[in-house]
Amino acid sequence: MSARGGVVEARDLGVLGCHACGLVSRDIGADHSHCPRCRASLHRREPASISRTWALLLAAALLYIPANLLPIMKTATLFDSHADTILSGVVVLWRSGSIDLAIIVFVASIVVPIFKIAVLALLLITAQRGSDWRRPERAKLYRMIEFIGHWSMLDVFVVALLAALVHFQSVARVDAGPGAMAFGAVVVLTMLASLSFDPRLTWDSPKAPRND
Ligand SMILES: [Zn+2]
């Protein structure tokens, strides 16, 4: 048994944990083994976790730009029509006195996605280097973005809520702008990126094989 950097890993003990049902079984050393209880395939580490997570994360970061710059919805009345980006929507809500709603939209649509992207990038860079910098805190950060992930659809809900509000104000037409499409893609991509990151990589040292 050899512990790396004071951390005893499952593979040092010759066991594997099932990601689906949690059963710990003996690592028979085969490339493709299956969980004896639920038949899910077992991996010492998720295959190509780092490169897949990077790809999803970079796509999300790129789409974050049009999601914020392009109009997320277009409203048209008899008298005028205008387009709102997420940020200008927040300003409109704030000025019209819906301060709580403005804060919810700002946090859910602007702060949360950028926080998730930044945290995942940090986890990826440190995992790639096999860094032993603040491992318990990094594990906590991962659990935090996983928890936030459960609320990801809050952003979409907020957009639906906004559309409904505009309807109540007897506006003739509300259409989703191209920014809404980009925004939806950012939500889905960050969700997939946090799913494809293997949190066990946080505990790996540089000498250990990282991607298999
Ligand atoms: Zn299982």
Side-chain angles (χ1 to χ4, degrees):
M1 195 204 307
S2 70
R4 294 180 184 84
V7 180
V8 179
E9 296 181 3
R11 59 183 160 197
D12 298 323
L13 303 169
V15 291
L16 267 177
C18 171
H19 65 91
C21 73
L23 179 74
V24 173
S25 53
R26 192 149 293 284
D27 183 1
I28 52 171
D31 280 342
H32 303 286
S33 51
H34 293 272
C35 170
R37 182 159 68 186
C38 74
R39 306 305 297 161
S41 60
L42 296 175
H43 305 286
R44 274 168 221 114
R45 294 291 178 268
E46 283 302 317
S49 168
I50 286 185
S51 43
R52 261 194 308 152
T53 311
W54 265 128
L56 292 163
L57 196 63
L58 288 178
L62 279 177
L63 283 167
Y64 185 76
I65 300 166
N68 280 284
L69 293 183
L70 295 178
I72 202 150
M73 63 181 194
K74 293 172 186 162
T75 47
T77 60
L78 284 173
F79 312 107
D80 73 327
S81 72
H82 72 281
D84 271 311
T85 62
I86 296 176
L87 203 56
S88 74
V90 169
V91 172
V92 168
L93 282 172
W94 186 276
R95 283 193 182 148
S96 66
S98 316
I99 291 170
D100 39 2
L101 200 56
I103 293 171
I104 292 175
V105 176
F106 182 75
V107 171
S109 318
I110 295 177
V111 179
V112 166
I114 205 76
F115 176 73
K116 280 176 88 173
I117 291 171
V119 165
L120 277 170
L122 175 79
L123 291 177
L124 280 169
I125 292 167
T126 47
Q128 242 170 341
R129 293 182 168 186
S131 161
D132 58 2
W133 176 74
R134 292 176 181 250
R135 282 180 163 150
E137 286 82 2
R138 277 156 59 199
K140 255 182 221 153
L141 271 179
Y142 180 75
R143 285 200 296 275
M144 195 191 280
I145 57 167
E146 250 193 336
F147 175 77
I148 294 174
H150 298 172
W151 294 89
S152 275
M153 282 303 153
L154 182 70
D155 331 23
V156 178
F157 167 75
V158 162
V159 174
L161 190 70
L162 273 179
L165 272 180
V166 176
H167 267 293
F168 277 128
Q169 289 163 4
S170 68
V171 172
R173 245 180 98 101
V174 185
D175 286 315
M181 199 95 99
F183 181 73
V186 171
V187 172
V188 173
L189 284 167
T190 51
M191 217 186 313
L192 290 176
S194 66
L195 278 176
S196 74
F197 180 75
D198 189 334
R200 292 175 294 192
L201 292 167
T202 298
W203 304 96
D204 285 350
S205 59
K207 276 159 251 150
R210 292 183 306 258
N211 256 0
D212 57 3

